[in-house]
Amino acid sequence: MAPRPSAPSLSIPAEDIPEVSPGELQVAVSRLRSKNSLRGSTVYPDVSGSSLSSHWVRGSVAFSPRALSRALSVAVEDGEACPAQERRRPAESPSAYRPIVLLDEVCKLFERVVHARLVGHLERIGPDLAACQYGFRRGRSTIHAILRVKALAEDAVARGRVVLAVSLDIANAFNTMPWACINEALRYHEVPPYLRRLGSVLGPLLWNIGYDWVLRGTNLRGVAVVCYADDTLVTATARTFQRASLLASFGTELVVRRIRRLGLAVALHKTEALAFHGPRSRPPIEAYISVEGVRIPVGSKMKYLGLHLDSRWDFRAHFEVSLAEVGCCEDRSAWWRSVSSGATARSHTKRLAYWRALCPGISTRGLSSVFWWREESLRRGQRLAPQEVETTLVSLRNAAVEEWQLRLESPSAGLRTVAAVRPVLRQWLDRHHGAPTFRLTQVLTGHGCFGAYLCRIAGKEESAACHHCGNCREDTAQHTLEECPAWTEERSALLAVIGSDLSLPTVVAAMVRSRRSWRAMASFCERAMSQKEAAERIGADRSRPPPP
């Protein structure tokens, strides 16, 4: 949030401020997470510098809930629970950093009470937040926002229409929302005065309240808005692409103007656009929309809420990017340790997502069933424990692996590779080291610079013979790995680690057992295959006819 201006204190009778009830306190404490140690409190300055854990807070509630409730009630009356901001970058570049708020468990408890009262007021008295806002709201997530966009696009495409989606980028959004806008929004939502003068740590909720004016604005017919916090998506639906592009241009410009009236800046040069269409309604080449004179190209994909969306909802672009990000990490164990410790993912949900990325095997159908199972439980008022969900995911993964093993009993292709991987399939999936490189994959699959492959499959060679030793009529991946004398020097390091048996099942079993064996095999493949590729390029150049 932008720095909060000083304002005259409101004189509010104490009897008009509800005390914190033991029930409110219990709900707030139930949402605290266990931590080892925490910073000092701004509600209780005398504990600054001491170790104050969530166990201490829970114990206080257990033995003296009324005392802690009264202390929090005093904090609500005084409105003095604004923690200090820690700035870690030079003062000459204030726009380059965000203030960091450090809170102890008592202050977090206070935040939970205030947050619950604000949300309760919006839901029961209102006006509530716009229905198209999905960010930081109970029972809503990025999945629900994506599902709304998907339903809108699929319904329009089924009726022969075109949908243009425009994703807006608000520059430094949370740090630049003016407090004047937030205070005005609090008055519009009829928030009690004693809650209006509090704030500071309720950033996400206060952002939703302040930004709600943008979402409630009147849009052109055929224009809709879907929002997750500051990630704003404008959609325009029309019968043809030309009409949809005009509608998207004008509709997006209206939304951008409302955003700027709040004092926020929209980075139009970062804005993306994507068209959802049927097979006969493709956008023209180099199509674009124009917003305030800025051309925004209509691309084949668009990133929104962490997903790379495409016009047909097949997510090929998303999986290509995701697999590239996971596959480029050769030291999977180091990456896994950083994920498990929270350096890469700081929540149970994110760690579980990364765990699924590292250990594939859960089918899309299975993940979808888990999501809708959780949704149905929430509709019934039941909240599933994270351990229950994780247990279900593990069982789904085990079922998927068993299904794979059954399919691999009678493969129709890749017999050599399947015979090597199938006995250690589960160990292959569960390993925390090694990633298949380009040249390692060539040796494992036999698809690469081998005479047999180049002759019979690729059609680039007249003979399948080995060009490096001259003694073999069929140059295969196994010949390169185990027999060809041209790679004796490269093979010696591999033999020292794995042993004399270089049959592919033995090599693969050794690779999944230890990082050292994996690296030795990958090193051999890199050295041998790079030389084979260079020789293949030279041979291709020689066989090419000279230019006229």
Side-chain angles (χ1 to χ4, degrees):
M1 298 294 172
R4 184 174 186 174
S6 59
S9 59
L10 298 174
S11 178
I12 304 171
E15 58 270 16
D16 292 343
I17 303 176
E19 287 194 1
V20 178
S21 67
E24 285 182 291
L25 193 60
Q26 291 287 354
V27 172
V29 169
S30 68
R31 298 181 64 86
L32 290 179
R33 296 181 180 178
S34 298
K35 300 285 182 72
N36 293 330
S37 63
L38 299 124
R39 302 273 180 155
S41 171
T42 54
V43 179
Y44 304 103
D46 58 308
V47 300
S48 181
S50 65
S51 176
L52 188 61
S53 70
S54 61
H55 300 292
W56 183 91
V57 176
R58 294 174 190 272
S60 300
V61 174
F63 290 103
S64 185
R66 293 190 178 278
L68 191 54
S69 296
R70 182 53 191 161
L72 291 179
S73 297
V74 172
V76 172
E77 293 174 13
D78 294 341
E80 296 177 351
C82 297
Q85 295 178 348
E86 178 183 339
R87 300 174 183 267
R88 296 186 175 182
R89 297 190 182 184
E92 57 268 19
S93 58
S95 62
Y97 62 88
R98 292 184 178 183
I100 298 176
V101 178
L102 301 175
L103 296 176
D104 68 0
E105 294 297 321
V106 173
C107 207
K108 290 180 180 178
L109 194 65
F110 171 82
E111 176 192 7
R112 291 292 184 187
V113 171
V114 175
H115 185 279
R117 288 190 175 185
L118 276 173
V119 172
H121 171 83
L122 293 172
E123 293 179 349
R124 292 193 297 268
I125 301 174
D128 199 357
L129 299 175
C132 60
Q133 174 61 270
Y134 290 86
F136 309 114
R137 300 183 69 181
R138 183 169 50 198
R140 296 183 174 215
S141 66
T142 54
I143 296 178
H144 296 93
I146 293 293
L147 286 176
R148 175 163 179 164
V149 177
K150 186 172 185 287
L152 187 151
E154 289 184 339
D155 177 69
V157 171
R159 292 184 289 116
R161 301 191 170 218
V162 177
V163 178
L164 262 175
V166 184
S167 175
L168 300 178
D169 184 279
I170 302 177
N172 205 18
F174 281 85
N175 292 344
T176 54
M177 170 74 78
W179 272 103
C181 295
I182 295 175
N183 288 328
E184 183 62 32
L186 290 172
R187 283 191 288 270
Y188 168 79
H189 289 277
E190 302 180 5
V191 173
Y194 80 94
L195 288 176
R196 293 184 209 164
R197 61 180 181 153
L198 298 171
S200 74
V201 293
L202 302 173
L205 178 57
L206 294 179
W207 164 269
N208 281 352
I209 293 174
Y211 196 67
D212 191 65
W213 180 78
V214 172
L215 307 180
R216 288 185 178 276
T218 303
N219 295 313
L220 299 175
R221 185 176 182 181
V223 174
V225 179
V226 177
C227 189
Y228 187 92
D230 63 318
D231 291 316
T232 307
L233 189 77
V234 181
T235 63
T237 305
R239 293 184 179 276
T240 65
F241 176 82
Q242 287 72 19
R243 296 187 64 179
S245 62
L246 287 174
L247 192 59
S249 297
F250 289 116
T252 303
E253 190 160 329
L254 286 176
V255 175
V256 168
R257 288 180 181 178
R258 288 203 295 265
I259 293 174
R260 286 182 173 159
R261 286 187 64 184
L262 288 183
L264 302 172
V266 179
L268 289 177
H269 63 284
K270 294 183 179 179
T271 298
E272 297 181 81
L274 171 68
F276 299 104
H277 57 84
R280 298 182 181 180
S281 306
R282 296 181 182 274
I285 300 175
E286 298 183 354
Y288 66 90
I289 64 171
S290 179
V291 179
E292 295 185 342
V294 178
R295 285 192 174 191
I296 301 170
V298 178
S300 59
K301 61 182 179 180
M302 176 183 69
K303 188 174 183 180
Y304 183 64
L305 300 181
L307 285 177
H308 294 268
L309 304 181
D310 57 81
S311 60
R312 307 306 295 271
W313 292 98
D314 59 16
F315 295 103
R316 289 184 180 179
H318 178 76
F319 285 115
E320 287 174 358
V321 174
S322 301
L323 291 174
E325 291 176 352
V326 176
C328 69
C329 181
E330 294 190 6
D331 191 353
R332 293 165 62 121
S333 59
W335 188 57
W336 170 252
R337 286 194 299 271
S338 69
V339 168
S340 301
S341 64
T344 303
R346 300 183 180 274
S347 69
H348 168 82
T349 303
K350 287 186 178 179
R351 285 197 297 273
L352 191 59
Y354 278 100
W355 178 81
R356 292 199 299 266
L358 279 171
C359 304
I362 306 175
S363 66
T364 305
R365 182 174 51 200
L367 290 176
S368 176
S369 65
V370 171
F371 172 77
W372 292 115
W373 167 50
R374 296 183 67 180
E375 286 293 293
E376 184 60 31
S377 299
L378 290 173
R379 290 193 193 98
R380 296 196 302 265
Q382 301 173 354
R383 184 171 292 275
L384 300 174
Q387 295 80 3
E388 186 178 0
V389 177
E390 187 166 355
T391 300
T392 302
L393 289 171
V394 170
S395 63
L396 284 171
R397 179 178 184 270
N398 291 335
V401 173
E402 291 176 2
E403 183 180 351
W404 284 3
Q405 289 176 328
L406 288 175
R407 291 183 180 180
L408 293 177
E409 287 182 355
S410 54
S412 58
L415 304 183
R416 170 177 171 269
T417 308
V418 171
V421 174
R422 185 177 177 276
V424 292
L425 177 61
R426 191 172 292 274
Q427 295 94 312
W428 178 282
L429 296 173
D430 291 340
R431 76 187 190 282
H432 291 162
H433 64 270
T437 63
F438 172 68
R439 294 187 174 98
L440 173 59
T441 303
Q442 290 187 60
V443 176
L444 292 179
T445 62
H447 289 199
C449 288
F450 310 107
Y453 175 79
L454 294 174
C455 176
R456 297 173 184 171
I457 300 178
K460 294 182 179 181
E461 292 277 356
E462 295 181 358
S463 169
C466 178
H467 299 298
H468 299 275
C469 65
N471 298 324
C472 180
R473 294 183 177 179
E474 189 172 40
D475 178 22
T476 63
Q478 193 61 35
H479 168 73
T480 301
L481 173 63
E482 192 173 15
E483 302 169 352
C484 186
W487 317 117
T488 300
E489 181 181 350
E490 290 79 3
R491 193 180 296 113
S492 60
L494 181 62
L495 291 169
V497 175
I498 293 180
S500 58
D501 186 0
L502 292 183
S503 62
L504 194 60
T506 302
V507 171
V508 171
M511 288 170 61
V512 299
R513 279 198 306 268
S514 73
R515 181 185 294 106
R516 186 183 176 206
S517 298
W518 187 288
R519 288 178 175 173
M521 178 62 174
S523 176
F524 167 81
C525 295
E526 289 295 322
R527 296 176 63 187
M529 294 307 300
S530 61
Q531 295 180 59
K532 288 176 73 71
E533 290 167 6
E536 195 270 334
R537 283 193 295 270
I538 293 174
D541 291 340
R542 288 177 179 175
S543 61
R544 188 176 297 125

